[in-house]
């Protein structure tokens, strides 16, 4: 059932019209590679002792459970991982007997679709060869402290894709960390990609959380959100000279709720090398330290060489520019970043490692085919305002879908179990590209409204449906009341989170004081910076207003 909300109509005198706001693993899991190894190695894993049934005395002794994988775990005959069951077999073996199985060679021999939450490999010191395949649907239980495919990587991960990664968590303790491939990378990760949405980490990284080793020829596309250090490739880079990120790119909306975020990396200590990396796109948001390429330098020297950043990236909703090789990266336009020669000029290998995908408009790995993923449609910045007369209301909202959205409306009394009836009126919105990167502004008018009536409305963009909201038209013949507010100026304090909280408190207090107000009349100065989309989002995304 759709939830319903009753809210006020907000009126903006000028800006509203000028801005663009309108694994029980089976006993046998034999691989099915086309040319399987002659050797089928059985891996014995000791399970935990079982609790006795009532009246049976002592606990049962631990039992040996035998699994099987093709291969011998050597470079010449690696263990073959063909499906989800094989992967769970390998993880169980490594985690129960790290000394024997964590240093071995493993090869992914087919694309794998995860159907259940994955148990991370605790410590890996061997070689994981993805063979150009992709593992799709990586999730880890949200209460797991260190969530990634591998918790600690001391070995080599190569030629592997992770698509549609979905990680979340509470982000309220320093031990909670999130990444696609490894939480702690002390080895090498090369020629790999990840796509998805990662959040809930005290530190959150698109590829790794903490980098002590090397990440090379990798990319991340998606979103990352953390409490503190957050980055599209790495959240945090250690203070050692072996720590390097080279020839990688990220296109991500990156947010640190407290501080320290960048499109490529969040935090870097002295000794970090950042070479040939590209902040390809997205937005960066945090009340603390931020940067296009890197969020914060702990100390120097940090080696920067040939790092680029798209000029469309907004840092706290403002454009930045840099002609120096530093935390911001050298300026490049989005068109320049669609050209192969932009990357070859900074040392990328397009003969054996990279290829330019003209459809995606960005580089992809030659040896690892990217699996296309549908990105979820998001809606925000909803604004409901009076129309040209008392029979109409104007709606504007943002969506990250360039197709025009639709607004449906009906009398609240006509809803069917809280949902829109089949005969609901509807109109297609006009749509224009918004200032907010990746978003489009939808503008529509609900018409033929009757006075003194409660209406319900719903916004639809593709498969995305908003909640069902309600508003009541006034009977103007009996007069009406309204709220008048000025100078909320979100962002003026320098702490947008605090300003947002204060604005929310003010609106709720006003709504409680004047519950029958027909609309809010704004006298101006809604935000502190005219072109700051984050400040406008904080101003508009208040349920009292729509």
């Amino acid at each position: 059932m759709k939830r319903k909300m009753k809210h006020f109509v907000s009126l903006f005198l000028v800006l509203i019209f000028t801005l663009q706001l309108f694994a029980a693993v089976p006993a046998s899991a034999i691989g099915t590679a086309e040319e399987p190894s002659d050797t089928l190695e059985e891996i014995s894993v000791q399970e935990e002792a079982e609790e006795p049934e009532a009246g049976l005395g002592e606990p049962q002794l631990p039992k040996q459970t035998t699994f099987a994988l093709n291969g011998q775990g050597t470079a010449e005959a690696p263990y073959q991982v063909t499906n989800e069951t094989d992967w769970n077999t390998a993880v169980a073996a490594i985690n129960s007997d790290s000394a024997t199985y964590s240093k071995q060679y493993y090869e992914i021999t087919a694309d794998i679709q995860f159907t259940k939450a994955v148990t991370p490999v605790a410590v890996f010191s061997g070689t994981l060869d993805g063979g150009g395949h992709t593992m799709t649907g990586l999730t880890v239980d949200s209460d797991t402290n260190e969530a990634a495919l591998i918790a600690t990587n001391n070995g080599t991960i190569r030629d592997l894709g992770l698509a549609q990664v979905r990680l979340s968590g509470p982000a309220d303790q320093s031990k909670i960390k999130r990444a696609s491939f490894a939480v702690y990378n002390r080895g090498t990760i090369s020629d790999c990609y990840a796509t998805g949405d990662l959040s809930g980490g005290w530190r959150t990284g698109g590829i790794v959380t903490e980098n002590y080793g090397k990440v090379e020829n990798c990319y991340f596309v998606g979103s990352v959100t953390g409490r503190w250090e957050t980055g599209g490739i790495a959240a945090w880079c250690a203070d050692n000279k072996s720590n390097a990120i080279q020839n990688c790119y990220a296109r991500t909306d990156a947010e640190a709720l407290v501080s320290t975020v960048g499109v490529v990396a969040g935090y870097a200590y002295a000794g970090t090398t950042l070479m040939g990396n590209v902040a390809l796109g997205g937005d960066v948001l945090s009340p603390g330290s931020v940067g296009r390429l890197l969020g914060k330098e702990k100390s120097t020297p940090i080696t920067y060489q040939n790092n680029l950043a798209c000029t469309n990236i907004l840092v706290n909703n403002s454009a930045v520019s840099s002609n120096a090789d530093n935390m911001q990266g050298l300026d490049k336009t989005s068109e320049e970043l669609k050209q192969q020669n932009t990357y070859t000029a900074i040392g990328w290998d397009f003969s054996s490692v990279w290829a330019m995908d003209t459809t995606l408009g960005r580089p992809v790995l030659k040896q690892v085919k990217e699996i296309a993923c549908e990105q979820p449609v998001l809606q925000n910045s909803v604004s409901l305002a009076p129309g040209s007369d008392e029979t109409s209301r104007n709606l504007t909202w943002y969506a990250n879908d360039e197709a025009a959205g639709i607004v449906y409306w009906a009398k609240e009394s006509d809803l069917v179990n809280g949902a829109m009836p089949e005969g609901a009126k509807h109109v297609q919105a006009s749509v224009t590209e918004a200032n907010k990167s990746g978003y489009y502004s939808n503008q529509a008018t609900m018409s033929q409204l009757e006075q003194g009536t409660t209406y319900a409305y719903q916004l639809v963009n593709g498969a995305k449906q908003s909640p069902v909201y309600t508003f009541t038209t006034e009977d103007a013949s009996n007069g009406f009341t309204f709220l008048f507010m000025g100078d909320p100026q979100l962002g003026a304090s320098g702490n947008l989170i605090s300003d947002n909280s204060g604005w929310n408190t003010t609106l709720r207090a006003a709504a409680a004081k004047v519950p029958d107000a027909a609309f809010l009349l704004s006298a101006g100065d809604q935000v502190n910076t005219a072109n700051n989309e984050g400040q406008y989002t904080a101003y508009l995304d208040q349920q009292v207003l729509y």
Side-chain angles (χ1 to χ4, degrees):
M1 178 180 295
K2 307 292 184 197
R3 60 189 176 96
K4 298 187 293 181
M5 302 177 184
K6 191 166 187 176
H7 306 290
F8 288 97
V9 177
S10 60
L11 172 64
F12 306 100
L13 293 178
V14 177
L15 291 175
I16 193 65
F17 300 109
T18 58
L19 294 175
Q20 295 178 348
L21 294 172
F22 244 57
V25 183
S28 178
I30 301 175
T32 57
E34 293 182 3
E35 297 181 5
S37 167
D38 294 332
T39 303
L40 179 67
E41 178 153 327
E42 293 186 341
I43 301 174
S44 296
V45 179
Q46 181 170 289
E47 295 182 343
E48 295 180 359
E50 296 180 352
E51 292 295 328
E53 295 182 16
L56 294 183
E58 296 298 319
Q60 302 297 306
L61 292 175
K63 60 182 180 181
Q64 293 289 117
T65 301
T66 301
F67 303 102
L69 286 176
N70 282 315
Q72 298 175 328
T74 63
E76 296 75 18
Y79 290 129
Q80 307 260 304
V81 178
T82 303
N83 51 42
E84 183 178 19
T85 299
D86 287 350
W87 177 257
N88 291 336
T89 298
V91 173
I94 295 169
N95 287 352
S96 64
D97 189 356
S98 178
T100 302
Y101 296 108
S102 71
K103 299 179 182 179
Q104 306 291 72
Y105 287 77
Y106 297 81
E107 181 182 13
I108 310 297
T109 61
D111 290 343
I112 294 175
Q113 173 72 56
F114 290 120
T115 61
K116 297 180 180 179
V118 174
T119 298
V121 175
V123 178
F124 185 71
S125 303
T127 295
L128 175 60
D129 185 348
H133 297 291
T134 293
M135 307 170 91
T136 301
L138 174 68
T139 61
V140 177
D141 288 338
S142 61
D143 58 356
T144 302
N145 289 335
E146 297 168 349
L149 188 71
I150 296 170
T152 298
N153 175 49
N154 298 322
T156 297
I157 305 171
R158 66 189 182 214
D159 296 333
L160 178 62
L162 293 177
Q164 298 181 24
V165 178
R166 298 287 184 265
L167 300 180
S168 61
D172 57 356
Q173 300 179 49
S174 60
K175 61 185 178 182
I176 298 173
K177 297 168 184 177
R178 300 287 181 264
S180 296
F181 283 91
V183 172
Y184 308 105
N185 178 46
R186 302 178 187 275
T188 298
I189 301 176
S190 65
D191 298 56
C192 293
Y193 82 85
T195 64
D197 300 292
L198 289 74
S199 65
W202 187 268
R203 289 174 175 165
T204 302
I207 301 295
V208 302
T209 309
E210 298 183 6
N211 191 43
Y212 302 83
K214 189 171 186 178
V215 181
E216 182 179 24
N217 295 327
C218 294
Y219 67 89
F220 175 80
V221 175
S223 66
V224 286
T225 303
R227 186 171 180 83
W228 285 87
E229 295 88 351
T230 299
I233 301 298
W236 182 91
C237 301
D239 54 348
N240 62 60
K241 293 184 179 180
S242 61
N243 158 39
I245 301 174
Q246 184 172 350
N247 295 355
C248 296
Y249 77 80
R251 191 183 72 188
T252 177
D253 287 332
E255 180 177 6
L257 301 179
V258 178
S259 183
T260 317
V261 58
V263 170
V264 171
Y267 203 16
Y269 277 76
T272 298
T273 295
L274 298 173
M275 182 183 299
N277 300 299
V278 180
L280 189 62
D283 292 333
V284 181
L285 186 64
S286 178
S289 301
V290 293
R292 282 194 309 193
L293 185 83
L294 172 68
K296 183 177 181 179
E297 299 172 334
K298 172 60 178 177
S299 53
T300 55
I302 291 174
T303 301
Y304 295 100
Q305 185 175 333
N306 294 333
N307 298 290
L308 312 177
C310 182
T311 54
N312 288 350
I313 293 173
L314 299 180
V315 177
N316 278 343
N317 299 287
S318 297
V320 299
S321 180
S322 173
N323 292 315
D325 207 349
N326 56 23
M327 290 172 55
Q328 304 301 340
L330 292 161
D331 285 351
K332 289 293 178 181
T333 67
S334 59
E335 288 303 314
E336 287 177 307
L337 291 172
K338 293 178 182 179
Q339 307 303 316
Q340 180 175 314
N341 58 12
T342 300
Y343 301 88
T344 56
I346 59 173
W348 286 36
D349 179 359
F350 278 83
S351 62
S352 59
V353 177
W354 295 99
M356 204 68 197
D357 189 311
T358 55
T359 300
L360 295 175
R362 56 181 170 84
V364 294
L365 294 165
K366 280 192 171 183
Q367 303 303 321
V368 189
K369 183 179 179 180
E370 181 180 328
I371 291 181
C373 304
E374 289 189 8
Q375 296 298 315
V377 176
L378 304 175
Q379 298 169 328
N380 54 44
S381 298
V382 180
S383 172
L384 176 65
S388 58
D389 58 32
E390 65 275 12
T391 69
S392 63
R393 294 291 185 273
N394 293 327
L395 268 169
T396 65
W397 73 96
Y398 278 176
N400 61 341
D401 183 356
E402 63 181 334
I406 299 174
V407 57
Y408 291 83
W409 73 94
K411 293 180 180 180
E412 184 184 35
S413 58
D414 291 337
L415 295 180
V416 180
N417 296 323
M420 283 289 161
E422 287 189 11
K425 294 180 180 180
H426 63 278
V427 64
Q428 182 171 292
S430 61
V431 62
T432 57
E433 188 172 1
N435 288 327
K436 185 175 183 180
S437 178
Y439 280 80
Y440 297 82
S441 175
N442 291 260
Q443 308 169 13
T445 298
M446 295 180 287
S447 58
Q448 299 179 359
L449 304 177
E450 300 175 6
Q451 294 189 43
T453 305
T454 298
Y455 284 90
Y457 71 93
Q458 187 174 41
L459 312 175
V460 177
N461 291 88
K464 174 66 176 179
Q465 298 181 354
S466 75
V468 174
Y469 303 110
T470 63
F471 66 92
T472 301
T473 58
E474 293 297 313
D475 185 348
S477 62
N478 296 323
F480 58 89
T481 59
F482 64 93
L483 295 169
F484 181 83
M485 293 185 182
D487 293 341
Q489 208 147 344
L490 273 74
S493 73
N495 187 334
L496 186 57
I497 293 176
S498 176
D499 291 354
N500 184 22
S501 177
W503 177 231
N504 180 270
T505 299
T506 300
L507 287 172
R508 291 186 179 277
K513 185 71 173 177
V514 190
D516 59 343
F519 57 85
L520 181 152
L521 177 61
S522 173
D525 280 352
Q526 292 95 350
V527 300
N528 192 55
T529 306
N531 64 349
N532 191 310
E533 289 283 351
Q535 292 175 10
Y536 275 110
T537 297
Y539 182 84
L540 286 168
D541 275 351
Q542 308 289 341
Q543 292 182 354
V544 174
L545 294 179
Y546 58 90

